[in-house]
Amino acid sequence: MPPRKKVRPNSTAMKMVGEQVAAGRLAKGLTQRALADLVAIDVETLASIEQGRRVLMPDVAERLDRVLGLPGLLTVAANKLPEVDTIPAWAEEYMEREREALALSWYDTMTVPGLLQTEAYARAVLGCRVPYAGEEWIELQTARRVQRQEILRRPTPPTLSFVIWEAALRDRIGGDEVHRDQLRHLRSCADRPAIAIQVLPLGITAHAGLDGPFILLETPMHQHLAYSETQRGSILVRDPNEVSILSQKYAMLRSQALNFVETRDLLDRLVGER
């Protein structure tokens, strides 16, 4: 017998919520495209939600409730989905916010930030995952990571600031050639007008980022969010007080890091060493 397909633990809950969305839409006589336009999401996203393949995010649920004239039913459903979905959902929502961001401030400690990674370096980083996820997964995730870098080529790109711990630049992930090409790419990025890169040097006596990496994001509606990942999950931070704390940390990190000229000089030396 062929192996049974693994069922997502809360797939029934997701399908139920999706069916509620579809029922509300049909009751209003709307097509998927018409409803997607009204709530400002892609029609493919709405279709996936209705089919129970994509998590209904709370902010989208609120807009659906307003458009469909529902008394908060979808918002309650979105906020009560089992926890197994809340962690992946934050990563999913962050990716959506990243695509349209006005500004990103990114602090990283173990690797070069994803938006600045070469394809070969990204593949090598993803290949370090334990347990090993397989070539198909690595290639899929590499392609997605590279696709995210499209925001750098927008007619008006977001304002980007990066603080990177020096250790991430010295690790030779992927081997000498991959490491050398990544350093060269980073040095090239440091010359781009919309990108500010600073290195947090080894050996400093004060360090505002000991709790780990995080990202600050400003949306087109000037909402300020933060995002961070751990070994086994991720979180999207909306609380203004918590975002403020991380913003203060980022400001301190920038003051503790090398300035732009010193950073470029360090990158030149590292490239020369390779």
Side-chain angles (χ1 to χ4, degrees):
M1 292 180 60
R4 295 180 62 186
K5 185 177 180 181
K6 186 176 180 181
V7 177
R8 190 170 185 166
N10 65 330
S11 60
T12 301
M14 290 173 63
K15 287 181 179 178
M16 180 185 68
V17 172
E19 289 173 1
Q20 290 175 333
V21 173
R25 173 177 62 79
L26 293 172
K28 285 288 186 179
L30 296 170
T31 63
Q32 286 184 337
R33 183 168 298 280
L35 180 56
D37 289 343
L38 288 171
V39 296
I41 61 175
D42 294 335
V43 65
E44 293 83 3
T45 298
L46 179 61
S48 294
I49 291 171
E50 290 191 357
Q51 293 162 17
R53 295 186 291 107
R54 186 166 184 153
V55 178
L56 175 61
M57 300 304 301
D59 61 325
V60 176
E62 290 176 5
R63 298 202 296 273
L64 285 167
D65 277 332
R66 287 197 296 270
V67 170
L68 298 175
L70 301 174
L73 296 180
L74 296 177
T75 301
V76 171
N79 283 297
K80 295 297 183 180
L81 278 171
E83 188 175 353
V84 68
D85 262 330
T86 61
I87 292 175
W90 299 139
E92 180 177 310
E93 183 177 1
Y94 169 75
M95 300 303 175
E96 294 180 358
R97 297 288 183 260
E98 184 184 79
R99 283 194 292 271
E100 61 183 12
L102 291 179
L104 288 164
S105 300
W106 192 317
Y107 167 58
D108 223 326
T109 58
M110 304 307 296
T111 63
V112 172
L115 291 180
L116 303 179
Q117 292 179 6
T118 65
E119 182 175 345
Y121 180 87
R123 185 177 292 107
V125 168
L126 292 164
C128 292
R129 176 177 171 146
V130 177
Y132 182 66
E135 289 296 326
E136 183 178 351
W137 181 88
I138 291 171
E139 290 304 317
L140 175 62
Q141 296 303 319
T142 299
R144 288 177 174 173
R145 185 162 297 184
V146 171
Q147 185 179 31
R148 285 169 57 194
Q149 297 173 6
E150 286 295 319
I151 68 170
L152 305 180
R153 292 179 281 277
R154 283 178 3 196
T156 305
T159 299
L160 296 166
S161 171
F162 299 90
V163 175
I164 311 168
W165 191 33
E166 185 179 344
L169 307 183
R170 293 192 176 272
D171 282 343
R172 297 144 68 104
I173 302 297
D176 287 349
E177 183 176 351
V178 171
H179 182 226
R180 179 175 57 250
D181 289 346
Q182 178 60 66
L183 288 174
R184 288 175 174 168
H185 177 65
L186 201 60
R187 179 62 183 85
S188 175
C189 289
D191 285 333
R192 297 177 64 170
I195 300 177
I197 299 175
Q198 294 177 258
V199 173
L200 190 70
L202 296 169
I204 59 176
T205 59
H207 194 315
L210 294 176
D211 291 333
F214 59 89
I215 303 170
L216 301 170
L217 182 151
E218 183 179 357
T219 73
M221 301 300 292
H222 305 293
Q223 181 184 13
H224 293 269
L225 307 172
Y227 177 76
S228 64
E229 293 184 344
T230 67
Q231 289 278 344
R232 299 298 299 151
S234 61
I235 182 170
L236 188 68
V237 182
R238 304 172 185 277
D239 186 301
N241 292 328
E242 296 298 323
V243 174
S244 174
I245 289 171
L246 290 173
S247 297
Q248 293 172 55
K249 285 191 176 189
Y250 193 79
M252 184 61 70
L253 283 165
R254 293 197 69 178
S255 73
Q256 294 168 342
L258 302 177
N259 64 33
F260 303 136
V261 174
E262 293 167 338
T263 291
R264 286 193 285 267
D265 287 345
L266 174 60
L267 289 171
D268 285 337
R269 292 198 301 274
L270 291 174
V271 170
E273 291 173 6
R274 300 304 318 134

